Amino acid sequence: MLKKLLPATLLTLTTATALTLGAIPAAQASPASPASPVSPASPATPAASAHVPDSRVSTAFTLPGEKVYPEGIAADPRDHTVYVGSYADGTVYRARPGARTAEVFLPAGTDGRHTANGLRVDARGRLWVTDSTSGVAVYDTASGRRLAHFEVAGAGALFVNDLTITPDGTAYLTDSVRAVIYRVTPAQLAAGSGALLPAYDLKGHLTPSPAGSFSLNGIVSDPAGRYLLAVDMTAGDLHRIDLRTGAISRVTLRGGDLVHADGLDLAPDGTLRVAHNTTNTLTRWQVSPDGSRARLTRTITDPSLQIPTTLSHAPGRTLVVRSQFDKGGPMGEGTPTTFTIASVRGL
C-alpha cells in the first residue's frame, strides 16, 4: 500500500517488492502531511531532536518470521480475532484475542497468492485478501478454505491494493496503477469466481501527479452504505464516491492533507483514522455526516511505528501494522527487528 513506481508490465512478486517505495522525487521527500507529535490540527513538522518514545504506542503482538514485512490488517467483528497479511510472500497470520504471538493461518503461496495487501473480514466472517498482482480471494475463517476468487480482466499494469465492504455485502477495491475501483457483488461472490471489473474510474478526477506515482490506496465505506471514501496518497486528496448516483467528488480537508496516506479506518460516528506510511504518522479526522468534509483533530508521529501501512480500530486502542519496509524490505537495505503489530491509545 505504499507509494510505488509504475511498472511497465503486470507486477510479479519480485517487481512489486522492488518498487514498493520508489518514485518519490527529492522535492517531495518531506511532504506537508500533518506531523506534530501530539497537538491536534497542527500540520507543522516536528523539530529535529532526540526521540522520546510515545507512551501511547506499545506492542500488541508479534509475527513469526524473519522477513514478514506485513501490510494489511483486519479484525473479525464477531470474535475480535485479528488477521495480518505479508507483502513479502502472501502469508496470512491470525492472532486470537489475548495472544502475544500470531500464528500462520494461510501459508505463503496459498492458492498461488503472491502478496497479501488489503484484508477485510465481512459480517459473515469471511476473510477477503487482495493480491496486488492479480485480484482478491475470499476465505472461510473457520476452515481456511477458499470460497471465491476474482482476477482483474485484461492485460497491462495493475496493483490491486485495499478494499472495503458495504452493509449489503458488496466489496470495493482500489487499483493504485489504473486509478479505478473494482466491485464484487454478493451475487458474484455466490458464483465463486469471475473477472474483477471496474465500477468507478477516477482518472479524470485525480490531481495530476509525477509520472510513475501511485494514486488510489486506502478505501472505506460509510456505515450506512451511502458512499465510499478513497485516498489519493500522492496528491493527499480524499475522494467521495456516491453509491446511489455514481457521482465522484473531492472531500474538503481542513487542518491538513493526506499525503502518504495508506490505510483508512472509518468508525460509525464519522471518525476517520489514517496511517501515513513514510512519515510514521497517524492522523484522526472528523468526517461530516454527508462525507463531503473532513477536519483534522489529532496527529501522532513516532518512529516506533516503523512505517505504518494499515490500521484497525477497536474501543480503547488502534492496532497498527509496523511494516519495517525500510529495513531490508522494498524501501531499502537494512536488517529488520522482530515484526510486530503496534497498539496505539488515544487516536
Side-chain angles (χ1 to χ4, degrees):
M1 296 180 187
L2 291 176
K3 183 175 296 184
K4 309 164 182 75
L5 283 167
L6 178 63
T9 59
L10 178 67
L11 288 173
T12 62
L13 173 63
T14 302
T15 304
T17 303
L19 299 181
T20 299
L21 201 69
I24 306 178
Q28 297 183 18
S30 299
S33 56
S36 99
V38 186
S39 61
S42 173
T45 302
S49 60
H51 172 64
V52 177
D54 196 316
S55 62
R56 293 170 296 182
V57 181
S58 59
T59 295
F61 57 87
T62 64
L63 301 168
E66 297 180 355
K67 295 184 178 181
V68 177
Y69 299 109
E71 190 165 43
I73 189 169
D76 190 327
R78 305 167 307 159
D79 62 7
H80 308 296
T81 297
V82 177
Y83 298 87
V84 180
S86 166
Y87 180 72
D89 60 17
T91 300
V92 176
Y93 300 87
R94 175 176 61 190
R96 301 183 188 276
R100 299 299 298 172
T101 302
E103 60 184 351
V104 173
F105 175 60
L106 300 175
T110 303
D111 302 314
R113 186 178 57 255
H114 295 301
T115 69
N117 290 17
L119 274 67
R120 296 282 177 179
V121 180
D122 65 22
R124 294 180 58 181
R126 296 170 298 203
L127 174 64
W128 296 66
V129 183
T130 67
D131 181 336
S132 61
T133 71
S134 58
V136 64
V138 185
Y139 293 90
D140 174 45
T141 53
S143 66
R145 180 173 62 93
R146 190 176 72 172
L147 304 174
H149 65 102
F150 303 89
E151 296 188 357
V152 176
L158 74 155
F159 197 98
V160 183
N161 205 324
D162 206 353
L163 77 156
T164 188
I165 302 171
T166 55
D168 68 355
T170 302
Y172 294 91
L173 307 93
T174 57
D175 189 316
S176 299
V177 168
R178 299 186 179 186
V180 299
I181 295 175
Y182 304 111
R183 174 171 57 203
V184 177
T185 67
Q188 291 171 316
L189 178 59
S193 64
L196 197 56
L197 300 173
Y200 303 101
D201 189 334
L202 277 72
K203 287 190 289 291
H205 299 269
L206 302 181
T207 299
S209 58
S213 298
F214 267 34
S215 56
L216 301 181
N217 198 326
I219 185 170
V220 290
S221 50
D222 165 38
R226 297 169 298 168
Y227 59 82
L228 308 172
L229 297 176
V231 68
D232 178 349
M233 67 180 303
T234 300
D237 297 327
L238 188 64
H239 295 271
R240 181 188 188 277
I241 300 92
D242 191 298
L243 291 175
R244 182 179 63 86
T245 67
I248 300 170
S249 57
R250 192 171 300 166
V251 176
T252 300
L253 302 178
R254 298 175 179 171
D257 59 43
L258 293 174
V259 171
H260 295 308
D262 201 324
L264 309 179
D265 182 283
L266 181 63
D269 65 357
T271 300
L272 178 68
R273 295 173 174 87
V274 183
H276 301 249
N277 46 51
T278 59
T279 55
N280 288 316
T281 295
L282 307 174
T283 56
R284 188 180 71 197
W285 303 72
Q286 187 61 44
V287 178
S288 63
D290 64 357
S292 66
R293 304 178 308 280
R295 177 175 55 87
L296 180 65
T297 61
R298 176 65 58 88
T299 301
I300 297 173
T301 295
D302 194 316
S304 71
L305 293 170
Q306 298 177 304
I307 314 296
T309 51
T310 52
L311 69 174
S312 178
H313 181 74
R317 68 173 185 173
T318 303
L319 297 178
V320 181
V321 173
R322 289 164 157 161
S323 74
Q324 294 196 69
F325 279 2
D326 60 339
K327 303 297 182 183
M331 276 179 60
E333 299 179 356
T335 303
T337 60
T338 301
F339 288 96
T340 63
I341 300 300
S343 176
V344 180
R345 296 180 293 106
L347 183 61

